[in-house]
Amino acid sequence: EAQVTQNPRYLITVTGKKLTVTCSQNMNHEYMSWYRQDPGLGLRQIYYSMNVEVTDKGDVPEGYKVSRKEKRNFPLILESPSPNQTSLYFCASSSTGQGRYNEQFFGPGTRLTVL
Amino acid sequence: KQEVTQIPAALSVPEGENLVLNCSFTDSAIYNLQWFRQDPGKGLTSLLLIQSSQREQTSGRLNASLDKSSGRSTLYIAASQPGDSATYLCAVRLSFVNSGYELNFGKGTSLLVTP
């Protein structure tokens, strides 16, 4: 089954404790990205990657890091989490071809709480 | 920056009604527009994608239209069912030259279909 998976699905942590949220897709997509969703603000892009070893900032990159060492994986790293990073996080992927292949697929989400 | 607005923010209808959800965007130089469904606490499920050159797309009881020149899209749901209750999100991708693959999301329309 074609899908985007994220782990963990739920995470409660404390300020300053480094964490990684993993994202993996099995559709051989070149493009991957991370969004956060907050009440009243909607979804905002954090980082994206056009292909292996190619990453760039989105609208709200502060406090986050990413890496793209393999095509299928795009982990989101919070080196020193703070309470304002409490949010629902989504990973997405798509092909970079034409037409239907631009459809973006989203993972199930990771609900992060930083105390 | 592309601004995406969805009206109404919330909608409650009795089962069986046909309904229309609206999405407007400020920059008409779009590459495509995608409608998603989000169930509470869940991820985003892609419903329909319309390329900028298309006027509409259909999938089952769903029909999405696009009027790029006026900056509008509508999602038409025929014969609504309680299982359609969810939040519906509209997302716009600007033209490839301008901004890669970032999706600009509206804040969604929360739909409740009552039996």
Side-chain angles (χ1 to χ4, degrees):
Chain A
E1 179 190 357
Q3 60 182 350
V4 180
T5 57
Q6 296 179 225
N7 282 292
R9 294 288 315 280
Y10 303 91
L11 179 61
I12 300 174
T13 189
V14 295
T15 298
K17 186 177 182 182
K18 180 180 178 179
L19 66 92
T20 299
V21 183
T22 64
C23 172
S24 182
Q25 50 91 7
N26 62 2
M27 295 168 279
N28 201 36
H29 285 164
E30 295 84 8
Y31 176 81
M32 298 184 74
S33 67
W34 279 101
Y35 292 83
R36 60 178 288 174
Q37 185 178 33
D38 301 289
L41 297 176
L43 282 104
R44 295 175 292 168
Q45 191 180 55
I46 303 170
Y47 267 96
Y48 66 94
S49 169
M50 296 298 290
N51 215 322
V52 176
E53 301 292 1
V54 181
T55 63
D56 210 343
K57 297 177 181 179
D59 294 326
V60 288
E62 294 78 20
Y64 304 95
K65 285 176 57 178
V66 293
S67 69
R68 187 91 181 272
K69 292 183 170 53
E70 304 167 285
K71 196 173 186 180
R72 64 183 294 125
N73 296 323
F74 190 45
L76 179 69
I77 304 157
L78 285 72
E79 295 268 3
S80 182
S82 62
N84 65 12
Q85 292 179 298
T86 293
S87 188
L88 181 58
Y89 291 86
F90 289 104
C91 180
S93 74
S94 78
S95 172
T96 55
Q98 293 292 315
R100 182 76 182 166
Y101 301 109
N102 291 156
E103 182 178 9
Q104 292 204 21
F105 296 87
F106 281 72
T110 295
R111 185 166 293 283
L112 172 65
T113 301
V114 184
L115 302 175
Chain B
K1 173 78 173 165
Q2 176 78 274
E3 297 292 332
V4 181
T5 303
Q6 291 187 245
I7 294 173
L11 181 64
S12 179
V13 300
E15 181 177 8
E17 274 204 8
N18 302 323
L19 56 98
V20 174
L21 307 181
N22 297 292
C23 172
S24 62
F25 46 93
T26 53
D27 189 338
S28 62
I30 69 168
Y31 189 75
N32 61 35
L33 183 146
Q34 203 166 344
W35 282 94
F36 293 89
R37 167 186 174 138
Q38 184 176 24
D39 293 283
K42 300 288 181 64
L44 280 67
T45 300
S46 178
L47 298 173
L48 290 164
L49 179 146
I50 309 178
Q51 290 293 107
S52 61
S53 58
Q54 298 174 322
R55 294 301 297 261
E56 65 179 327
Q57 283 286 339
T58 298
S59 176
R61 294 183 294 108
L62 305 179
N63 175 277
S65 67
L66 174 64
D67 184 341
K68 201 171 64 166
S69 61
S70 66
R72 293 181 184 178
S73 176
T74 61
L75 180 66
Y76 175 82
I77 302 177
S80 59
Q81 304 170 356
D84 294 330
S85 298
T87 296
Y88 291 81
L89 295 164
C90 166
V92 174
R93 185 188 135 189
L94 288 176
S95 64
F96 179 78
V97 172
N98 289 345
S99 67
Y101 288 74
E102 179 185 5
L103 289 178
N104 294 279
F105 282 85
K107 291 184 170 59
T109 293
S110 178
L111 173 65
L112 176 63
V113 181
T114 55

